[in-house]
Amino acid sequence: MIEKIQRRRFNKILIAAGAATALAPFNIIRAQAAKLKVGVLLPKSGFQGLIGQSCQKGADLAPAVIKETLDVDIELMNADTETNVDTARTRAERLIQDGAHCLVGPFDSGAAAAIAQVAEQRGVPFVINIAAAPQITEQGYKFVFRNFPVASELVRNGLALINDLFQATRTAPRTAVFMHVNDTFGQANAKAVDALLPQVNVPFKVVESIAYDPAARDLTVEVSKAKATKADFLLLVCRLNDAIALRREIVKQRWNIMGIISPGSPGMYENQFYRTLGKLSEHCISNVPWYDPKAALTKQVETALKKQDPKDQLRFHALNVGYTFEAILVVADAFKRAKSTQPRVLTDAIGQTEIKNRMMLGGPIKFNAKGQVEGNRSACIQNQGQRPVVVLPAAAAEAKPVFPWTEYRKS
């Protein structure tokens, strides 16, 4: 008799629960989450470790700035990809298992491709902060978004700025040697350079293309080969550590060139580049996406960064901090509108993003059908006084460009 009463009571509880579920759809139940848990994947160790640590600064300041601007509470769940694609994949799986509502990261294109597969399989939204390989958003993924230019857009913007640089400095180099890292990012940029050079009216010809391992510590052979071309300048797609090694080797071999210009890659504007090379870092040029120094959001981020470390400066982390912060801003904005952490609802809200008041140069953060933001812009960044300085476009310039660099003029 007691068992029958208990069974009836248990059935009533089940019926009541079912009625409650029917009245409250799944996404509304999940909407009760007080915080958005953001899984942040970055290469904080390995040969890209210093850049990953720079990106982490943008993640660390995001919760306070976003709480102030959007009144959204964010909990960061940080993971180190160790500059390893397989590790990036397993860490992404672990973050999802541990309750991350969305993923952000990971700076590296190879890692981004791996994480995108995990996000798609698990049905969890993933917003890429920095990674340019175009194939990532060409797979038809439904849960993957990228607020960073693809390699073709990055290189097209970079080559256009090279033309502007030559006009501004009244120079006309006739030849270039193209050196690039052989990882996913480097190969994507190399393909873009090969495809776009014939379409862009540049005054120079690439006489040789040389690929190398970004983890290489000795670039003697590659630089010797590049020097033998007698090219006027070096067109370079690099990372950080290899850029340092390469610059040192250029000095060691007394390679007399007009300068080094990147059409769109990290490395030469990073803080460690200046700290390691000192005066040898001077006048290297990187045509890359950059922050708008006049934007209100930039000023908020800069204030937050100084609060974290009074000795730090935003200009030494501009791209890394800016795009990492904006990636977290995207998911926070979507969470506020969706009022839910349910994966599909949150993903749909990300797809409807339109953030006009942003930090980085370009149009509104608005994703196309492939999950890609279009209209990000680049600036010509030159190392002057051992710090990155905007020299083009003229409207945003902090100083005039120097080309050729002073070593070339003295020789």
Side-chain angles (χ1 to χ4, degrees):
M1 186 69 175
I2 293 174
E3 288 182 2
K4 287 183 179 179
I5 293 172
Q6 289 177 333
R7 194 177 299 115
R8 286 195 204 103
R9 186 174 298 161
F10 181 67
N11 288 338
K12 286 181 180 179
I13 292 171
L14 284 180
I15 292 169
T21 303
L23 291 172
F26 183 60
N27 64 309
I28 295 178
I29 294 172
R30 292 292 298 272
Q32 296 172 2
K35 286 187 177 182
L36 178 67
K37 295 182 179 180
V38 181
V40 180
L41 294 133
L42 293 167
K44 291 182 287 186
S45 61
F47 67 86
Q48 292 183 27
L50 291 171
I51 296 178
Q53 293 165 29
S54 178
C55 290
Q56 185 67 50
K57 292 175 183 289
D60 290 342
L61 62 80
V65 176
I66 289 172
K67 176 64 176 177
E68 182 183 345
T69 56
L70 295 181
D71 194 27
V72 169
D73 290 316
I74 291 174
E75 178 183 334
L76 298 182
M77 302 171 66
N78 298 312
D80 181 8
T81 66
E82 300 176 5
T83 317
N84 183 287
V85 171
D86 291 333
T87 302
R89 182 181 291 106
T90 56
R91 296 284 159 82
E93 289 275 9
R94 185 61 177 269
L95 284 173
I96 294 171
Q97 181 181 328
D98 290 346
H101 300 132
C102 57
L103 302 177
V104 161
F107 177 80
D108 177 76
S109 288
I115 296 168
Q117 292 176 352
V118 173
E120 196 70 15
Q121 290 166 1
R122 298 293 296 271
V124 172
F126 170 39
V127 178
I128 297 169
N129 65 337
I130 302 166
Q135 60 267 33
I136 299 170
T137 46
E138 294 292 332
Q139 306 296 318
Y141 291 148
K142 304 299 182 186
F143 292 87
V144 179
F145 304 86
R146 171 166 48 187
N147 178 33
F148 193 77
V150 296
S152 57
E153 185 179 18
L154 193 64
V155 171
R156 184 182 293 107
N157 292 343
L159 292 176
L161 282 167
I162 290 177
N163 265 346
D164 294 342
L165 172 69
F166 293 161
Q167 290 176 14
T169 56
R170 298 181 181 179
T171 55
R174 296 301 176 189
T175 56
V177 58
F178 178 42
M179 297 183 71
H180 67 89
V181 288
N182 63 4
D183 59 8
T184 305
F185 169 76
Q187 291 172 2
N189 276 262
K191 288 180 181 179
V193 168
D194 290 342
L196 291 169
L197 270 178
Q199 303 173 24
V200 181
N201 187 26
V202 292
F204 63 88
K205 176 183 178 182
V206 173
V207 294
E208 181 100 35
S209 292
I210 302 169
Y212 64 89
D213 185 347
R217 296 184 178 181
D218 186 351
L219 293 170
T220 304
V221 174
E222 290 82 358
V223 171
S224 179
K225 186 178 179 181
K227 181 182 177 182
T229 67
K230 297 182 179 180
D232 292 330
F233 76 100
L234 171 60
L235 188 67
L236 177 65
V237 171
C238 58
R239 297 292 192 179
L240 174 56
N241 292 352
D242 57 285
I244 293 171
L246 190 145
R247 182 67 184 104
R248 282 174 166 165
E249 191 60 37
I250 287 173
V251 174
K252 183 179 178 181
Q253 295 195 26
R254 297 182 181 179
W255 182 18
N256 183 27
I257 48 176
M258 298 176 76
I260 304 174
I261 305 174
S262 170
S265 66
M268 297 190 294
Y269 55 79
E270 306 289 348
N271 198 16
Q272 194 62 32
F273 192 76
Y274 306 104
R275 289 186 175 182
T276 304
L277 294 175
K279 291 182 179 179
L280 292 180
S281 65
E282 283 293 277
H283 298 147
C284 293
I285 293 172
S286 305
N287 295 339
V288 290
W290 207 249
Y291 64 81
D292 180 356
K294 298 178 182 178
L297 195 54
T298 298
K299 294 174 182 177
Q300 282 182 275
V301 169
E302 191 164 22
T303 299
L305 183 64
K306 284 185 177 180
K307 188 175 182 180
Q308 282 184 184
D309 185 353
K311 296 180 180 180
D312 219 345
Q313 294 183 50
L314 179 59
R315 68 169 66 243
F316 291 114
H317 309 282
L319 188 152
N320 302 328
V321 163
Y323 275 107
T324 302
F325 170 79
E326 283 197 343
I328 297 174
L329 176 66
V330 165
V331 294
D333 173 76
F335 173 61
K336 183 172 184 177
R337 287 183 285 108
K339 297 180 176 60
S340 173
T341 56
Q342 200 278 326
R344 173 55 71 180
V345 176
L346 186 59
T347 300
D348 289 345
I350 294 172
Q352 296 166 13
T353 297
E354 186 171 5
I355 299 175
K356 295 179 181 179
N357 299 321
R358 61 181 303 192
M359 176 180 174
M360 306 306 285
L361 289 169
I365 301 176
K366 188 175 182 179
F367 299 100
N368 64 18
K370 296 179 180 179
Q372 176 65 47
V373 168
E374 299 170 339
N376 284 297
R377 300 204 316 269
S378 294
C380 183
I381 308 301
Q382 184 167 46
N383 301 346
Q384 295 187 11
Q386 297 180 47
R387 62 188 189 128
V389 174
V390 177
V391 294
L392 289 169
E398 302 169 276
K400 292 183 179 180
V402 176
F403 189 84
W405 55 21
T406 51
E407 296 93 319
Y408 181 82
R409 288 172 176 166
K410 290 178 181 178
S411 59

